[in-house]
Structures are given as structure tokens and as C-alpha cells.
Amino acid sequence: MIKKLLGSVREYKGVSIKTPIFVSLEVVMECLIPFVIARLINEIQAGCEFSVIAGYGGVLVLMAAVSLTFGTLAGRTCATASCGFAKNLRHDIFYRIQDFSFENIDRFSTSSLVTRLTTDVTNVQMAFMMIIRMAIRCPFMLIFSFIMAFVMGGKMAWIFVILLPVMGFGLFLIIKNAMPIFKRVFKKYDKLNESIQENVKGMRVVKSFVREEYEQKKFAGAAGDVCRDFTKAEKILAFNGPLMQFCLYSVMIFVLSFGSYVVISSTGADLQVGQLSALLTYSFQILNSLMMVSMIFVMITMSAESARRIVEVLDEESSLSSPENPIHEVKDGSVDFDGVSFRYSSKSEKPALSDIDLHISSGETIGIIGGTGSSKSSLIQLISRLYDASEGTVKVGGIDVRNYDLESLRNQVAVVLQKNVLFSGTVKENLRWGNKEATDEEMKEACKIACADEFVSAFPEGYDTYIEQGGANVSGGQKQRLCIARALLKKPKILILDDSTSAVDTRTDAIIRSGFKKFMPNTTKIIIAQRTSSVQDADRIIVMDGGKINAVGTHDELLRKNEIYREVYTSQNKAGSEVDE
């Protein structure tokens, strides 16, 4: 896990290495200063001249300046390294997610991925910052101060050795009890983010059903769970402070009382005032270092679960990948399903698709119709290899889709999904998702075919009109037509419309389909629809039922021979009673 995370340091290795070096030099100066002060006190006690005091003063000022300089440099390099590490880590997680197949994405909720990219990365960043600075400074300060304490205080320094096991055992108990809570709390963070995401995304639905109070209670419950767990964890971690304070004051009482006794009883022979002063300073340094070490352990304890969640995403291998020597050119838009079955998960009891044998010629217009849950969308997702078939073979242009370079295949298969998504940006920027090099004339032509040019041109700023996130400032029908235009700009060999004209009227739907025939006759067009009017002009219509192909034929053939199609048509058309039985 650590090795995987350190892979995100990259160009910040230099500053990450410089930070411990600067910290070490800062610590050396800080630990030498009490030693020099002790010598100065002893000189003053012996009745030295002012020139000696001034000399020591100059040395102390110089040492303080050097310590400050190295401390400042360590702070700058540490900030650069930790922020750069976090930037790279977010970059690596985001790019890994971009490579995920739908199957991979199904394993992580959206809210969980957002939490990992934000809260978890911040926790790991804080831990990294502490490791390269405090985790070097504190042990180094501890060791150096121990040595100097034994040099200056002799046997009295054994008090630190006695207290170490007490502090270590207390710290172990704190971490042991806090760690399981932190493991729990991040899962609850995911639920909290999910509650926020659902509420904001579905705000119009919430308001239309007057469910604000329900959503508030739902959010309060999720926030309360996080609060309770963090409160419990903080209560456990709160024992860290009193434990450290107990050890600190125990040492102070011992050093002051026993040290003063030794100084007075031996009249400075066994222990001088300067040595006692230095010993007190080293006591503070040792115990402060131990307190900081405990804080580092707490931070690492908290971030360990965050690190595990991040590495879980980084280690996730896409279930779909291009072969070693992929084919980059798609010859034509022909599609073949040979004995195809498909399951979304190996644990699924029933396949989503089974025994699919279908052959579509290039340039053909195919309609697909069927009830909810008949796996219409599952069928077309195998064409652009959003999923792989569990059994059998899917071919495009006569070649198994698994032999293509993924990017090349998907560039030739344009899919307009049922849930259309527009991104924040202008109309032009959204259209250029289909072709980033598209000219204004090409965008206008695509919008005309998709019946979008009329309403876009009516906007005050035309094609430079800003689209809000998710297309919130356009209607459902306008959104669908812009998404169709975006797909047309790819100039694909296969165009798939997954119920993507459901929000437009039947007249506009007919105009769009007529435009397809006129302007892209060589493109294979696959239209999934709920309305029979959207597919009745297709060369062939596929009737899906229970994940299988129930029938294939023209509109007239299916009306005569297929009960499912005839029932759907009759329910949608008053003229159904006139159909020949």
C-alpha cells in the first residue's frame, strides 16, 4: 500500500527528501542551544566577564538564526511536497476511474468515489506532511535529547526510560480502540455524500413532491451517524493529552525536586545549575517530541483507512482493456451476435441476455422494442464494448469487438443513452464532445438533422449559450436533441439511440429519423424505443422479451405474426382495431 501511494510523489521526490534533511539540521541546532546555555550559566555562576557573556550571546543568536532558517526551509519544502503529492494522487485516482468499465464502476458508488477523491486524499496528505517533517523531527529530537540528557544529567535521565513503557502502552490502547471506529466512519461518510448528491441532483423532484422535511431527516440521520462515530473516536483520542501531561509533570517534579537537592547537597560538585537548566529543557524537548509522536500515530491511524480506500481504487484493474496488438480500423457498421449470453455479475442467478443470434448489415436501420426489463439496453451496450459478453461473440465490421482498440471502436459507435447528460459549458463545447475539431458549419448541420438548430438559434447567445451543469436550463426534449447532434458529429459507422427521443413529440421524432436516412445512409442505425411509431419505418424490428429475441421482422410482418408487438401497437394506437388478424 505504501509503495503504491509513494508512486504519486513523482516530481516532488526532491523536495520530499530535502524536508527531512532541513528538519534534521534544525533539530541539531535546537538540541545544541540548551548545551550552550548551560555552559553560559556555569560561566556566569563562576563570575565571568561581560565579554564572555557577549561571546556566548553571539553564538546563541547565530544558532537560533540557523535553526530558524532550516525550519523555514523545511516548512516550505514540506508544503510543496505534500500539496504536490495530493495533486498527483487525485490525478491518479481520477485517471484510473476514467479507465474503468461499467462493471468496475458498478463496484463503487459515485458518492464513495467522491469521498475518496476529497476527504480520503486530504487525510493521506496530512499524514504524508507529518511523516516527512514531524515523523523525522520528533524521533530525531527524542534521540538527540536523550543523549544530551544523559550527558548533562547522568543517572537522573533514567526517569525518561521508566516513563517510555507507560506512554507506549497507553498509546497502544488508544490506537487499538480508535482504529475500528475510523474504519466504520468513512463508510458513513459515503452515505452522507450520497444523501447530499441525491438531494441536490433531484431537487426539482423533492420540491414537486414537498419532501424537503423527509430529505432533511435523512440527511440529519447520516450526519448524526458520522458525528456520533467521530465523537466516540475523539473521546478515545482525548486520553492522549492527559497521558502526555501526566508524564511531562512527573518528569518536571522529579527533575526539579531531586535535581535541586543534588545541586544544593553537593554544592555543584555532582550537578551544576547550568546542567539542571539544560536537563529541564531537554525534558521538555523529550516529552514534547513524545506528544508529537502520539499525534503522528493518531493521524496515521485516521489516514490508514483512507489510504486503504484510495489504494483500493488504484489497484482496481479495468475488466475491459485493449488487446496487445489491437485493430484500429473499423471496416463497416455491420453487427453480428453469435450465441451471445450476458450476465452483469458472475453471481447473478439469471443472465440478462441469453441465446442471442442476430446479424445486422452495414447501413441497415434496426428498431428494438420490448417491455421494461427485457434487456434492450444490455444488448446494445455489448456493441461498443461497455461490457463483454459472458458467452458467445459480438462482432463489428466482421471482427470480434475484443480485438479492437477500445478508443477506435467507441469512436465508430456513437451511443445516445436514455439518460442524456450535458456538461457545464457552452452549447458549442458540449457539441464538440462528439468532435473536438468540428467547425461551426458542421455543428449547425448536425443540429439541423437533430432538430436542435431552431431552438439553439433562438437563444440570445445562440451556440455560445451557457449550459448549466446537467443541462438544468434546457428542457428534456432540447437536451435529447443536443445529445443526438453531439453523437452525429462523431460521424460514426454505427449510431445507437437508446430511447433517446422519448421526450420529443412524434412529429419531431419522425423528422429526426427522416434526417438520418437522408444524411447518413451508410451508417447503421439502431433505435431502441417504447413507441412503435419510432421504429415502424425500420428495415427490421427486433422484439425483446425476458432477455431473448422473441421475433424479428418488419412492422407489417410483426403486426400479423407477433402477439407482443401487436399488443404494444394496439395499446398505443386507436387504429389498432383495424389491424388484420
Side-chain angles (χ1 to χ4, degrees):
M1 184 171 72
I2 294 173
K3 185 179 179 181
K4 176 70 76 172
L5 291 173
L6 288 178
S8 297
V9 176
R10 291 197 288 278
E11 69 270 29
Y12 297 97
K13 282 181 182 177
V15 284
S16 298
I17 293 169
K18 285 178 184 177
T19 300
I21 295 172
F22 290 144
V23 166
S24 301
L25 294 171
E26 179 193 13
V27 168
V28 169
M29 288 296 105
E30 284 189 21
C31 289
L32 287 176
I33 286 173
F35 179 78
V36 176
I37 291 174
R39 296 286 297 272
L40 173 59
I41 291 172
N42 290 337
E43 290 286 351
I44 293 172
Q45 189 179 15
C48 67
E49 295 181 359
F50 179 75
S51 59
V52 176
I53 297 173
Y56 274 105
V59 171
L60 287 170
V61 169
L62 180 62
M63 291 175 72
V66 172
S67 178
L68 179 63
T69 301
F70 284 130
T72 303
L73 290 172
R76 290 173 63 88
T77 54
C78 181
T80 303
S82 60
C83 292
F85 168 66
K87 179 200 74 173
N88 285 347
L89 197 54
R90 288 193 179 96
H91 170 279
D92 294 345
I93 296 170
F94 187 78
Y95 272 58
R96 173 61 69 180
I97 293 169
Q98 299 308 301
D99 286 336
F100 283 177
S101 66
F102 279 16
E103 184 180 345
N104 296 116
I105 293 171
D106 291 343
R107 293 176 194 164
F108 301 95
S109 67
T110 304
S111 57
S112 177
L113 290 173
V114 170
T115 305
R116 293 169 204 239
L117 274 162
T118 52
T119 305
D120 288 334
V121 170
T122 300
N123 287 339
V124 172
Q125 177 188 354
M126 291 297 293
F128 181 74
M129 182 178 67
M130 281 192 161
I131 287 169
I132 64 172
R133 190 175 185 189
M134 302 307 297
I136 298 297
R137 175 187 172 82
C138 296
F140 200 73
M141 176 74 80
L142 194 62
I143 294 167
F144 209 106
S145 295
F146 253 123
I147 294 169
M148 294 304 294
F150 273 98
V151 169
M152 302 300 290
K155 294 180 180 179
M156 282 207 309
W158 282 100
I159 182 66
F160 303 117
V161 179
I162 294 169
L163 283 175
L164 275 177
V166 176
M167 295 176 66
F169 181 69
L171 195 59
F172 167 76
L173 289 178
I174 290 170
I175 293 172
K176 181 184 177 183
N177 288 284
M179 191 65 157
I181 300 174
F182 285 122
K183 286 185 177 180
R184 260 196 335 262
V185 78
F186 286 110
K187 292 180 181 178
K188 293 183 179 181
Y189 250 131
D190 293 343
K191 289 184 179 179
L192 181 64
N193 282 342
E194 185 177 13
S195 175
I196 296 169
Q197 185 181 16
E198 282 186 345
N199 182 267
V200 173
K201 196 173 181 180
M203 186 60 72
R204 287 173 174 79
V205 178
V206 172
K207 289 188 176 297
S208 64
F209 282 90
V210 197
R211 297 285 282 178
E212 291 92 341
E213 187 176 347
Y214 170 79
E215 286 295 313
Q216 286 168 1
K217 288 180 179 178
K218 182 179 172 184
F219 173 80
D225 279 347
V226 173
C227 178
R228 279 188 292 273
D229 274 354
F230 262 120
T231 302
K232 189 174 180 181
E234 289 295 336
K235 284 179 178 178
I236 294 170
L237 296 177
F239 283 104
N240 183 57
L243 176 64
M244 295 300 129
Q245 292 295 328
F246 168 76
C247 294
L248 176 63
Y249 289 122
S250 297
V251 169
M252 282 181 62
I253 292 169
F254 175 81
V255 171
L256 279 172
S257 57
F258 188 71
S260 299
Y261 171 76
V262 173
V263 171
I264 295 169
S265 62
S266 67
T267 62
D270 294 333
L271 187 70
Q272 293 179 312
V273 175
Q275 288 175 286
L276 179 61
S277 171
L279 190 59
L280 278 171
T281 305
Y282 289 129
S283 299
F284 277 107
Q285 287 181 345
I286 289 169
L287 292 168
N288 279 331
S289 297
L290 288 170
M291 287 183 71
M292 293 307 297
V293 166
S294 68
M295 287 178 62
I296 293 167
F297 271 110
V298 168
M299 190 64 224
I300 290 174
T301 300
M302 186 188 299
S303 62
E305 180 61 17
S306 291
R308 186 196 63 77
R309 285 158 53 86
I310 290 170
V311 171
E312 191 177 24
V313 176
L314 294 176
D315 281 342
E316 180 78 6
E317 292 294 335
S318 176
S319 58
L320 300 177
S321 59
S322 300
E324 288 187 12
N325 299 302
I327 296 170
H328 292 275
E329 185 179 351
V330 180
K331 185 176 67 174
D332 56 43
S334 62
V335 180
D336 300 286
F337 289 81
D338 295 319
V340 170
S341 294
F342 170 67
R343 297 174 187 268
Y344 280 100
S345 170
S346 57
K347 298 177 182 178
S348 302
E349 294 181 5
K350 185 181 177 183
L353 294 167
S354 56
D355 304 322
I356 303 295
D357 283 292
L358 178 65
H359 304 283
I360 301 171
S361 301
S362 183
E364 196 173 6
T365 299
I366 299 294
I368 302 178
I369 202 163
T372 302
S374 59
S375 296
K376 305 183 296 295
S377 297
S378 300
L379 182 72
I380 59 97
Q381 285 175 346
L382 301 180
I383 297 173
S384 56
R385 209 184 166 204
L386 297 175
Y387 292 94
D388 269 340
S390 304
E391 298 175 18
T393 306
V394 180
K395 296 179 181 178
V396 170
I399 296 171
D400 191 330
V401 292
R402 287 169 288 199
N403 294 332
Y404 281 112
D405 172 70
L406 270 174
E407 186 175 340
S408 300
L409 173 65
R410 290 173 183 171
N411 275 332
Q412 295 301 324
V413 182
V415 183
V416 185
L417 297 170
Q418 185 177 5
K419 294 181 180 179
N420 298 284
V421 176
L422 292 176
F423 298 89
S424 52
T426 64
V427 172
K428 284 182 179 179
E429 288 170 345
N430 270 277
L431 291 174
R432 285 195 172 115
W433 274 65
N435 177 7
K436 60 183 178 181
E437 305 297 335
T439 62
D440 290 353
E441 291 74 20
E442 287 173 327
M443 286 188 281
K444 195 173 183 69
E445 183 184 6
C447 284
K448 283 181 179 178
I449 298 171
C451 294
D453 179 65
E454 184 178 349
F455 73 80
V456 173
S457 299
F459 290 147
E461 296 181 28
Y463 283 80
D464 291 314
T465 299
Y466 189 83
I467 301 293
E468 301 292 342
Q469 185 178 16
N473 58 334
V474 292
S475 70
Q478 289 173 335
K479 192 189 297 184
Q480 286 188 335
R481 282 175 278 174
L482 284 173
C483 289
I484 292 171
R486 182 174 65 188
L488 294 178
L489 282 170
K490 290 184 76 171
K491 297 180 181 178
K493 288 188 167 62
I494 300 172
L495 175 65
I496 299 172
L497 304 180
D498 187 357
D499 203 18
S500 49
T501 56
S502 57
V504 302
D505 59 85
T506 52
R507 177 178 170 276
T508 304
D509 187 12
I511 294 172
I512 292 172
R513 285 184 282 109
S514 175
F516 290 163
K517 284 187 177 181
K518 182 178 179 181
F519 293 101
M520 46 194 316
N522 297 322
T523 297
T524 303
K525 297 162 282 287
I526 300 175
I527 303 169
I528 296 176
Q530 298 291 340
R531 299 185 301 216
T532 55
S533 60
S534 298
V535 297
Q536 64 184 28
D537 295 331
D539 298 320
R540 286 185 295 160
I541 301 169
I542 299 166
V543 180
M544 297 289 297
D545 184 38
K548 295 183 178 181
I549 294 177
N550 182 270
V552 179
T554 63
H555 171 71
D556 294 333
E557 289 172 348
L558 292 173
L559 276 179
R560 290 195 305 271
K561 299 177 181 178
N562 187 260
E563 184 179 343
I564 295 175
Y565 187 82
R566 186 166 56 246
E567 185 180 330
V568 173
Y569 179 82
T570 303
S571 66
Q572 294 177 0
N573 297 274
K574 293 180 180 179
S577 57
E578 301 172 7
V579 178
D580 294 333
E581 297 294 335

